Amino acid sequence: MHTSLSGEKLFRFRTPLDKSLPQKGGIKDFAPDGSWLQAKKLEKFYEERLQALSEPRVEKSSDLVKGEWNPEKCLVEFEKEKGKFWIHMGFVDVKRKWLYPEEALFLMETSVLEVWYRGLPISLQQAYTFFLVGSLSMEQYQVYLHLRRIGYVVLRHQGRLNFTRYEKQLGLDKYANKKQRKRKQNEKQENPSDKKSEEQISSEMFIPTKSEEADTAAENFNVSARKKHKILIDLPCAKDHSKENSFRMDASVTVDTYVTMETNGSKYKCLQNDKGIDESVDITSCNGNGDKINESNSCSSLDGESHDSVNTSQNNKVCAEFGANRHKCLEMDDECSETINIAISLSKDGKGLTSGLIDQEEPICDTSAAEVKCKHPDESPKSHSMENFQKHLEESDLLDTHSGKLAPVCRVRNHQGWYTSDDLNEWYNLICYNAANNQNLQMVEPDNSLQVVFESDLNQNLHRNVIFPDIGEKDMLVLRRPDDRLLPENITLSDSSLIFNVQNYHKTKSKTRDSRREQNIPYLYELDFSYAGFMRSKFRGQARSWKEYRECVKREEFDASGSTPVQYLWQESEEVVPLVRPENAVSTAAVLQKLQIIQEVDVTKMCKWPNNKEKISYDVYLPDLKFKKSQPGIPNHRICVVRSVDPPPSISEVSALYGYLDDDIPIHWAVVDNGEIAFYEFSPISLPVDITVG
Amino acid sequence: MRVYQFSVLKMVESKVKLHLCNGQCFIWNANDADVLRQEFHCVGSLVGCLPRAPRQNTHLGLPLQLLPEETTLLLEKGVAELVSTADTLFDPNEKLIEEFKAHRKSSYCQQIELFRAERKKEILQNLPKIIEGKRAKRQKMLEEKHEAGETVDKEVNEDEEEFNVDKITIPPVPEHHALVQLYTESPYIVTGQSSPPLWSYPSTDQERLRYSVFKDLWEKGYFITSGSKFGGDFLVYPEFVFSIRAFVLMGLFLVTSAAILKIIHLFVRKENQNISVFAGVIAIGAGL
């Protein structure tokens, strides 16, 4: 029972109270004095203490915030806030303001909030009983109280910051608001081990206005490792085969469309792909006649199964995204192929075909591509005959020699649109026919160059062409001439350059570090009595396998360490052996390495299986008036609350936690022991090494 | 059946009430805390905010959290009793709410009365000043009127100078300006049958060891607090003082080979802190 103060007594609290705090700790005496003075001091101390403790919390009713306790949600709801606590406490949900139970308790203790429940106010004692249930334990609340009292901003742990290292480097993580972070968290949860999602996320960061569709499209990307060859066909005599004619393979995709192609006055219609239409992108283009070429390119997800070159390009499509999202494709397509551009121009008189390889555009990914210079028909008219042209195509595996047709999996593209292989074959036949008949081929407008993309399944033939020669026990070697496509431009290999002198190679190779050292410190190696035995760095024994080698080395070591006057110390016991032996004294570094029995590990980075088993309770921020709940930024500390009876976390748990969170925020373990709180931290330190030289 | 009663009665001599919350014992009454400290040299640790200075960590206020050993001891000695806390928040009935409202209202009225009385007192005290001020104001007003050109009756009406204290109006104070108390300890009394909660400390061997040592020292009259901040089990103070420098750090452990390392550790701590270390080594076995 206690006294609930009457109005009279409350009235006394109108005047500001005596705010002096009782003396901490009591009397600073060391020995019992028995004196009256000491007793008096003690009495006074107890009196003050009682007075301070029994003081009630009296506030003007209008100064208090009124809240209502909601036991289902375990939250306190209130309407009007007073003072500054709303800056860093509480949250809004469906237009109502809520406080977490620990926040509410803190505000009650500091006489700011009055919590009601069904018509009656809750006392602090009741609040302790009813608020601290479930996930909020007494220890957690005590830590919260402790930190809040000294002014820190303490929020419940909000998960890890899903930022890449690059973003952290740039400082972008400071500007992410809560919504973005939540979205990232959700995404990360969906694809926990998907590396691509990180790239997606990072690309999302830079392109914040990306639409939802693009995201789904990105997930459908699955480019196969098909080689694509492009043939840039320049029908008229264009003045320069500058890069503008050579199309960039922005979207390394195959798209079948319904487009009409105007070549030589005839119109072709292309097939539309029916399979798996996922997304349609519009391409509107006009041909020379002014007719609108049909749009609706359709794309589908790549299944990458069929490798038959017989299969038409109707299979294995990849999403194409033109226009605004082109750059996206650039990122996603990381397995594009090599491309070779062959410019085939038909001369005006139709005498022959000039062919050449024009500049190959850089592939988007890292696969190497041969670059061959463009040969302009006007500059150096290198007219080839039809056979040569065919040979060209054959060599690049574009022409099927048996059927005499172009490889069926190909597409033709110009700035107007896409065409299928069937049309190309027709065109090719046309060329052949015209060439055969030596007839004039009609010219098409200069900007009407076509880009033909052939898909064939060369399956990395080029890479297989690189052969590493066997130089064991040989003196001279003649190397095979590599594929022209692998060479950089302007390089012509003479025959003499194909001869490889193995002996010279060995000689130059032996100038290694050891030999350099031998040159530098010759005296060491010449000292017969002091160092000769074990300073030899080269293994002089004979071994035919690793096992034998190891045995040999052991034997040598044993021989070397045989005769020392203190040998008896370790010969009998097997447990105690010398840490450093004289033969280890090759250099200071070697000795130090032997002495370092405690290995330095960075706890925060060593874990391979990051997880979040040790639950972090709070994110702590430094007190700041500019703090915003919607954009809290990076926390300064993280707190993990444990009891003193719990075992301390093991190294694996600590490193797992650090690895999971993956940022440089220190984690403190708050150990609570019946009201006493102590903070501990596991932080990596490195032992100092005094000697660094040598 | 439980009956909740809203009470303004004074405290009655009774056992110290221990409230169990989350497995730990708290004392919410300041008098109880005082009694425990003065008569039963049982210290505990304060964990709440001090009402007069809530935003600092040096001086804390109620509740007082007791060590489990302290709780067991007090229960054993019959000094304290465990109070059951309701499992769920009680549903206040109409009667209680009415009572509470009435209490608030009466408190408000009382405050208003007192406020008025004080105000009157203030006015009486400052009456000469007030009269002076009023006169000066009147003068000023007359002068302004004179300058403005109005004919003024210069004769001051003496009656107006009379001052009736009672006539001074005190503006009404709305209820929300009244002072209210935020209850620390629950003002609602629980009457009726309710079984006290179970207290099952000590239960393991380690705990029994701790308790027996604690009890022994307590019976010798020492003040004992938790020693986890210093790495030991207890801090033991002689009874007369509470200075920081004069405590003994205690470490308890069962006899094992690992105990040797612990002893060494404690002695090392001793070097830094100028305290004497008492290493209590107690053998395992029956009859602890």
Short mmCIF file of all heavy atoms in Angstrom, two decimals, chain B residues 38-56:
data_model
loop_
_atom_site.label_atom_id
_atom_site.label_comp_id
_atom_site.label_asym_id
_atom_site.label_seq_id
_atom_site.Cartn_x
_atom_site.Cartn_y
_atom_site.Cartn_z
N GLN B 38 18.65 -0.27 6.03
CA GLN B 38 19.08 0.14 7.37
C GLN B 38 19.02 -1.00 8.35
O GLN B 38 19.93 -1.18 9.16
CB GLN B 38 18.19 1.28 7.86
CG GLN B 38 18.44 2.57 7.10
CD GLN B 38 18.11 3.75 7.96
OE1 GLN B 38 18.46 3.78 9.14
NE2 GLN B 38 17.45 4.74 7.40
N GLU B 39 17.98 -1.76 8.26
CA GLU B 39 17.83 -2.81 9.27
C GLU B 39 18.40 -4.14 8.85
O GLU B 39 18.88 -4.89 9.66
CB GLU B 39 16.35 -2.99 9.59
CG GLU B 39 15.80 -1.79 10.33
CD GLU B 39 14.37 -2.01 10.74
OE1 GLU B 39 13.99 -3.19 10.89
OE2 GLU B 39 13.63 -1.03 10.88
N PHE B 40 18.32 -4.40 7.59
CA PHE B 40 18.74 -5.73 7.16
C PHE B 40 19.97 -5.72 6.27
O PHE B 40 20.26 -6.70 5.61
CB PHE B 40 17.59 -6.42 6.41
CG PHE B 40 16.39 -6.61 7.24
CD1 PHE B 40 15.28 -5.81 7.08
CD2 PHE B 40 16.36 -7.59 8.22
CE1 PHE B 40 14.15 -5.98 7.87
CE2 PHE B 40 15.25 -7.77 9.01
CZ PHE B 40 14.14 -6.96 8.85
N HIS B 41 20.69 -4.66 6.28
CA HIS B 41 21.89 -4.47 5.44
C HIS B 41 21.85 -5.24 4.12
O HIS B 41 22.75 -5.98 3.74
CB HIS B 41 23.21 -4.75 6.18
CG HIS B 41 23.32 -6.10 6.83
ND1 HIS B 41 22.98 -6.32 8.13
CD2 HIS B 41 23.75 -7.28 6.37
CE1 HIS B 41 23.21 -7.58 8.44
NE2 HIS B 41 23.68 -8.18 7.39
N CYS B 42 20.76 -5.01 3.44
CA CYS B 42 20.56 -5.65 2.14
C CYS B 42 20.48 -4.53 1.11
O CYS B 42 19.58 -3.71 1.14
CB CYS B 42 19.26 -6.43 2.21
SG CYS B 42 18.87 -7.31 0.74
N VAL B 43 21.41 -4.49 0.21
CA VAL B 43 21.55 -3.29 -0.61
C VAL B 43 20.76 -3.35 -1.92
O VAL B 43 19.97 -2.48 -2.23
CB VAL B 43 23.04 -3.03 -0.92
CG1 VAL B 43 23.19 -1.81 -1.77
CG2 VAL B 43 23.80 -2.87 0.37
N GLY B 44 20.97 -4.34 -2.71
CA GLY B 44 20.30 -4.38 -4.01
C GLY B 44 20.86 -3.32 -4.94
O GLY B 44 21.88 -2.69 -4.65
N SER B 45 20.22 -3.11 -6.05
CA SER B 45 20.67 -2.06 -6.97
C SER B 45 19.46 -1.36 -7.57
O SER B 45 18.49 -1.98 -7.98
CB SER B 45 21.55 -2.65 -8.08
OG SER B 45 20.87 -3.66 -8.78
N LEU B 46 19.56 -0.06 -7.59
CA LEU B 46 18.47 0.74 -8.14
C LEU B 46 18.55 0.74 -9.66
O LEU B 46 19.64 0.89 -10.22
CB LEU B 46 18.58 2.18 -7.62
CG LEU B 46 18.36 2.35 -6.13
CD1 LEU B 46 18.86 3.71 -5.70
CD2 LEU B 46 16.91 2.18 -5.77
N VAL B 47 17.44 0.57 -10.30
CA VAL B 47 17.48 0.46 -11.76
C VAL B 47 16.59 1.45 -12.48
O VAL B 47 16.59 1.49 -13.71
CB VAL B 47 17.09 -0.96 -12.23
CG1 VAL B 47 18.16 -1.95 -11.92
CG2 VAL B 47 15.76 -1.38 -11.64
N GLY B 48 15.82 2.22 -11.76
CA GLY B 48 14.94 3.13 -12.46
C GLY B 48 15.52 4.52 -12.55
O GLY B 48 16.64 4.78 -12.15
N CYS B 49 14.72 5.42 -13.11
CA CYS B 49 15.15 6.81 -13.19
C CYS B 49 14.78 7.51 -11.89
O CYS B 49 13.73 7.26 -11.31
CB CYS B 49 14.44 7.52 -14.34
SG CYS B 49 14.85 6.92 -15.95
N LEU B 50 15.62 8.44 -11.50
CA LEU B 50 15.32 9.24 -10.33
C LEU B 50 14.37 10.34 -10.74
O LEU B 50 14.65 11.05 -11.71
CB LEU B 50 16.62 9.82 -9.77
CG LEU B 50 16.59 10.33 -8.34
CD1 LEU B 50 16.30 9.18 -7.39
CD2 LEU B 50 17.92 10.97 -8.00
N PRO B 51 13.27 10.50 -10.05
CA PRO B 51 12.27 11.46 -10.53
C PRO B 51 12.79 12.89 -10.64
O PRO B 51 12.43 13.61 -11.55
CB PRO B 51 11.15 11.38 -9.48
CG PRO B 51 11.32 10.06 -8.85
CD PRO B 51 12.77 9.75 -8.89
N ARG B 52 13.66 13.29 -9.73
CA ARG B 52 14.09 14.67 -9.79
C ARG B 52 15.17 14.91 -10.85
O ARG B 52 15.39 16.03 -11.27
CB ARG B 52 14.59 15.15 -8.42
CG ARG B 52 15.66 14.30 -7.79
CD ARG B 52 16.30 14.99 -6.64
NE ARG B 52 15.41 15.09 -5.47
CZ ARG B 52 15.84 15.44 -4.27
NH1 ARG B 52 17.11 15.67 -4.07
NH2 ARG B 52 14.99 15.55 -3.27
N ALA B 53 15.82 13.87 -11.28
CA ALA B 53 16.83 14.04 -12.34
C ALA B 53 16.87 12.78 -13.18
O ALA B 53 17.74 11.92 -13.00
CB ALA B 53 18.21 14.31 -11.72
N PRO B 54 15.94 12.65 -14.09
CA PRO B 54 15.83 11.38 -14.80
C PRO B 54 16.89 11.11 -15.85
O PRO B 54 17.06 9.98 -16.27
CB PRO B 54 14.43 11.44 -15.42
CG PRO B 54 14.09 12.88 -15.49
CD PRO B 54 14.85 13.58 -14.45
N ARG B 55 17.62 12.13 -16.30
CA ARG B 55 18.49 11.87 -17.45
C ARG B 55 19.95 11.80 -17.06
O ARG B 55 20.78 12.50 -17.62
CB ARG B 55 18.28 12.97 -18.49
CG ARG B 55 16.84 13.09 -18.87
CD ARG B 55 16.67 13.10 -20.33
NE ARG B 55 15.24 13.13 -20.64
CZ ARG B 55 14.74 12.81 -21.80
NH1 ARG B 55 15.53 12.42 -22.75
NH2 ARG B 55 13.46 12.87 -21.99
N GLN B 56 20.25 10.97 -16.12
CA GLN B 56 21.65 10.73 -15.80
C GLN B 56 21.77 9.34 -15.21
O GLN B 56 20.77 8.74 -14.80
CB GLN B 56 22.20 11.79 -14.84
CG GLN B 56 21.26 12.20 -13.73
CD GLN B 56 21.27 11.26 -12.56
OE1 GLN B 56 22.28 10.64 -12.26
NE2 GLN B 56 20.15 11.12 -11.88
#
